Amino acid sequence: MSLRCVAAAEIAAQAWRNCGGRTRELLAWPALGHWAMRVSLADIDADGPFSAFPGVERWFAVVEGAGVALTFGAAKRHVVAGEAPLRFDAALPPHCRLLDGPTVDLNLMLREGRGEMRQVQPGAAWEPGFAIRALFANVAGLWRGHGESMRVAPRTLAWADAANDDGGAWSFVADTPGPAVPGWWLGYTPQRTPR
């Protein structure tokens, strides 16, 4: 088993065109060409529209801050820290309003396949059967899988693809239990090409 780790602090933040925030791309898979799975951490500093991504399923969770109000046409949805991730069609981007100051948010974007983002339940096994699996650790803790264990630093993405993952259960336990969500599981399986 070989987990690859990417610390958000080591990734240069890219400013948005509308100057409303910055994004750190933690993973774009495949690495070359048109990505099918993308994981990023975003700092939202100001109200404004999300970018449109036609053909993309987007999952969104608040990592830090009071949260946001997202407006989808006539519908409004508040997303706050500690809530389950919100899934929506990225072709129809919402307008975002900060509830009480800047936020940090985790994004999973998927093309042509199936996937999910879900909160880590401390110590509970996660065995979803995806071709690519990842843990975004919000806090420092211990990852376990395949009879192995590894320390994961806060705000770090640890991931493996099918070539490096035997499909067994993963778990994660924070070093210091607290009110914050310890992390999120992310998974993706590309759509199979018909023969």
Side-chain angles (χ1 to χ4, degrees):
M1 175 69 190
S2 177
L3 280 184
R4 294 173 235 188
C5 292
V6 181
E10 297 173 1
I11 304 297
Q14 301 297 315
W16 299 349
R17 285 178 297 210
N18 68 7
C19 301
R22 297 164 310 285
T23 296
R24 288 175 174 82
E25 184 176 87
L26 305 178
L27 172 63
W29 183 92
L32 300 175
H34 191 64
W35 58 260
M37 174 190 187
R38 181 174 182 251
V39 180
S40 64
L41 197 63
D43 298 292
I44 303 179
D45 299 324
D47 298 349
F50 278 16
S51 296
F53 290 91
V56 171
E57 173 185 307
R58 185 170 185 168
W59 296 72
F60 175 90
V62 174
V63 173
E64 179 183 314
V68 298
L70 300 179
T71 304
F72 298 86
K76 187 177 287 187
R77 173 74 188 269
H78 284 198
V79 185
V80 299
E83 258 189 2
L86 176 66
R87 176 180 168 238
F88 60 93
D89 181 352
L92 307 169
H95 185 274
C96 175
R97 179 178 60 80
L98 296 167
L99 295 179
D100 187 17
T103 68
V104 178
D105 308 288
L106 181 64
N107 292 277
L108 170 64
M109 297 191 186
L110 307 172
R111 281 193 182 107
E112 300 168 355
R114 66 178 185 83
E116 73 173 9
M117 179 197 302
R118 69 169 56 194
Q119 290 180 2
V120 168
Q121 300 303 316
W126 182 64
E127 193 171 2
F130 289 110
I132 299 172
R133 291 196 289 172
L135 161 70
F136 179 78
N138 191 28
V139 297
L142 184 68
W143 168 90
R144 286 195 171 116
H146 317 283
E148 301 176 34
S149 63
M150 183 178 80
R151 305 236 32 95
V152 182
R155 303 281 170 92
T156 296
L157 183 74
W159 69 281
D161 58 22
N164 299 304
D165 184 2
D166 70 6
W170 288 10
S171 66
F172 180 71
V173 178
D175 287 347
T176 308
V181 174
W184 289 265
W185 299 121
L186 306 104
Y188 173 68
T189 296
Q191 184 177 18
R192 297 190 189 283
T193 306
R195 293 184 183 215

